[in-house]
Amino acid sequence: MARVLEVQGVSKRFLGLLALKEVSLHLEEGEILAVIGPNGAGKSTLLNVISGLLRPDGGEVRLLGRPITRLSPEARTHLGLGRAFQIVQPLPELSVRENLLVGALFGKPGTSKKAAEAWVEEVLALTGLEARAEAPAGELTLLEDKRLELARALATRPRVLLLDEVMAGLRPKEAEEAVALVRRIRDSGVSVLFIEHLMPVVRALADRVVVLDHGEVIAEGPYEKVAREERVREAYLGRGA
Ligand SMILES: Nc1ncnc2c1ncn2[C@@H]1O[C@H](COP(=O)(O)OP(=O)(O)O)[C@@H](O)[C@H]1O
Ligand SMILES: [Mg+2]
């Protein structure tokens, strides 16, 4: 299987704090990978380095075999890296459809308006937002907000999608729906790397799990395997997370 995303020996320092210590991991084509770990483990920092919001002090990030470590976030989006945030940031005055059209037009330069419009209709269908296509993005429910955030990321036609705690705040039933949606996204051909602290979501969704603690990878494998590991249990218990 092809590695669509590779992180090799990435380190990131904030003043005196080494937030990432030579972190290496990869994402296979068609895979759903969870990155978990206690608060402060370095998960968001890792996602920011992958998406280009932060420059690492060492190491390399590759997307579809190509080094992207020195590229801007926009350039990474154009190459097929999508990202959805925990805090949803749509343009509230624009309709759901218009928000997606913005993503579809700017995510891939050179996309015609016609192609972008057609793709937006597919994204609306995939994310279950067709009925809300005309609604102003500022007037959605929390669950619809999450759907829109995923839809906005999808609108840019990513090959790899990064999700940073997108299920936060959802009730269990809603989280189940969001899990099903992420599976549909994967089945449509997008590989997914997600950060999540809700363990039922991790267990239900992840093909494989990487555990970070104090900026280091301390375990890797199927959920059932890593959840049993002493080092992982200690990392969580030790900080009451
Ligand atoms: N911009 C920043 N400046 C200084 N320290 C930061 C910054 N961002 C994160 N940190 C620190 O880096 C460590 C990892 O943070 P983070 O990646 O947010 O962890 P997680 O997402 O796993 O909770 C924490 O100790 C945090 O306080
Ligand atoms: Mg975080």
Side-chain angles (χ1 to χ4, degrees):
M1 260 209 185
R3 294 187 166 187
V4 288
L5 182 72
E6 270 191 289
V7 172
Q8 290 172 332
V10 161
S11 296
K12 178 66 192 177
R13 183 180 292 280
F14 294 118
L15 297 173
L17 178 85
L18 201 48
L20 296 175
K21 301 174 196 169
E22 303 200 358
V23 169
S24 295
L25 55 82
H26 68 273
L27 177 67
E28 305 270 353
E29 179 150 34
E31 189 177 36
I32 302 182
L33 176 71
V35 175
I36 68 169
N39 267 335
K43 304 179 298 294
S44 294
T45 302
L46 176 66
L47 236 64
N48 288 335
V49 166
I50 295 172
S51 63
L53 297 177
L54 287 174
R55 285 289 158 89
D57 297 298
E60 186 138 87
V61 181
R62 290 174 174 271
L63 180 70
L64 305 170
R66 173 175 180 168
I68 58 166
T69 324
R70 277 154 212 88
L71 298 184
S72 68
E74 294 72 25
R76 295 177 202 213
T77 304
H78 297 164
L79 290 174
L81 189 66
R83 173 168 189 173
F85 292 89
Q86 176 174 355
I87 298 168
V88 183
Q89 311 160 309
L91 303 163
E93 316 280 297
L94 296 188
S95 71
V96 165
R97 181 180 277 117
E98 287 163 340
N99 266 276
L100 299 186
L101 200 53
V102 171
L105 286 170
F106 294 106
K108 286 273 177 296
T111 305
S112 71
K113 184 143 182 285
K114 207 165 182 176
E117 282 169 349
W119 176 238
V120 164
E121 295 312 307
E122 282 191 48
V123 171
L124 284 167
L126 182 68
T127 54
L129 281 169
E130 298 126 307
R132 302 293 277 149
E134 309 299 333
E139 292 177 13
L140 301 180
T141 66
L142 181 64
L143 181 60
E144 288 169 348
D145 260 342
K146 306 278 180 181
R147 289 181 182 279
L148 176 59
E149 186 58 19
L150 287 170
R152 279 192 343 134
L154 277 181
T156 66
R157 292 184 179 267
R159 292 281 306 279
V160 170
L161 182 59
L162 307 174
L163 308 177
D164 192 351
E165 298 203 15
V166 288
M167 316 270 180
L170 294 182
R171 292 190 284 267
K173 185 87 194 141
E174 296 171 329
E176 266 176 45
E177 282 182 44
V179 163
L181 173 54
V182 174
R183 283 218 193 88
R184 285 206 298 281
I185 290 171
R186 185 268 298 278
D187 293 344
S188 79
V190 181
S191 311
V192 178
L193 186 160
F194 76 106
I195 293 178
E196 188 51 72
H197 75 270
L198 300 170
M199 285 307 141
V201 169
V202 174
R203 178 162 41 193
L205 199 51
D207 298 317
R208 191 160 58 88
V209 177
V210 167
V211 187
L212 280 184
D213 185 34
H214 291 301
E216 288 183 277
V217 174
I218 61 163
E220 182 270 328
Y223 177 87
E224 305 300 339
K225 171 179 168 275
V226 302
R228 278 197 308 268
E229 287 187 24
E230 193 60 30
R231 231 183 135 183
V232 174
R233 293 169 163 276
E234 274 170 12
Y236 276 92
L237 293 174
R239 265 169 283 167

